[in-house]
Amino acid sequence: MLEYSVEFPVRYYETDQMGIVHHSNYIRFFECARLKMMEEWGYPLQQCEKDGVTIPVVSVECKYKHSAYLGDTLKAVAAIDEKEPMAKLIIHQSVYNQDGLLCAAGDVVLGFLNKETGRPTRCPEQIIEVIRKEIEKNK
């Protein structure tokens, strides 16, 4: 399984009046890890769109396990276990606090659309190549 993670502090605006991270922010944390992963792997989302393919979120599942608080440092993880995605890509996502406690976990399903027609298309070859390259690096 390919895995990428990014760390960041909990910011005040991400919390409620009790200093607890609001549940809606975990979806943002998931996205942050996914976008940074593709950027680090050499094929950022902006390039995919320039190449004519948009990547909409088809579905998100998020299970909340442990609260995160103002002052915590979080680690957002994005993981892929598909070698060659076809019409969709499933990203396994999780968020941990600085003590390694799992705060939230779930799956994000991404689709692929032709930017010009808005019609479904296959996963861009560039994404498949990036995944293959990362698999080889991690053997």
Side-chain angles (χ1 to χ4, degrees):
M1 180 175 297
L2 296 176
E3 195 173 283
Y4 179 84
S5 65
V6 60
E7 291 188 10
F8 49 89
V10 171
R11 292 150 295 227
Y12 179 75
Y13 66 85
E14 295 167 331
T15 64
D16 61 18
Q17 203 170 15
M18 297 174 291
I20 300 171
V21 171
H22 190 270
H23 69 276
S24 65
N25 286 302
Y26 290 95
I27 305 306
R28 289 187 176 107
F29 300 157
F30 286 1
E31 182 176 38
C32 183
R34 287 195 315 275
L35 293 178
K36 196 75 176 148
M37 175 180 68
M38 293 306 293
E39 183 180 306
E40 289 288 320
W41 289 356
Y43 194 63
L45 181 62
Q46 300 91 321
Q47 185 60 51
C48 188
E49 289 185 4
K50 284 180 187 174
D51 292 342
V53 177
T54 60
I55 306 176
V57 172
V58 175
S59 67
V60 175
E61 174 190 351
C62 184
K63 294 185 179 182
Y64 303 98
K65 304 291 188 176
H66 186 272
S67 295
Y69 299 89
L70 183 62
D72 284 353
T73 298
L74 301 181
K75 178 172 78 169
V77 179
I80 299 173
D81 59 10
E82 295 177 76
K83 292 179 184 171
E84 296 193 19
M86 300 294 277
K88 64 182 179 182
L89 176 60
I90 300 169
I91 311 284
H92 307 290
Q93 306 250 204
S94 52
V95 176
Y96 298 86
N97 72 7
Q98 67 278 352
D99 298 322
L101 287 172
L102 178 63
C103 297
D107 290 329
V108 176
V109 178
L110 304 174
F112 305 100
L113 297 178
N114 179 298
K115 189 174 179 178
E116 195 173 294
T117 66
R119 308 258 320 140
T121 188
R122 299 188 100 169
C123 178
E125 188 62 34
Q126 297 91 324
I127 291 177
I128 294 170
E129 285 302 315
V130 164
I131 292 171
R132 284 182 190 146
K133 182 179 91 177
E134 290 301 316
I135 289 171
E136 286 302 313
K137 277 179 27 181
N138 291 298
K139 278 189 176 180

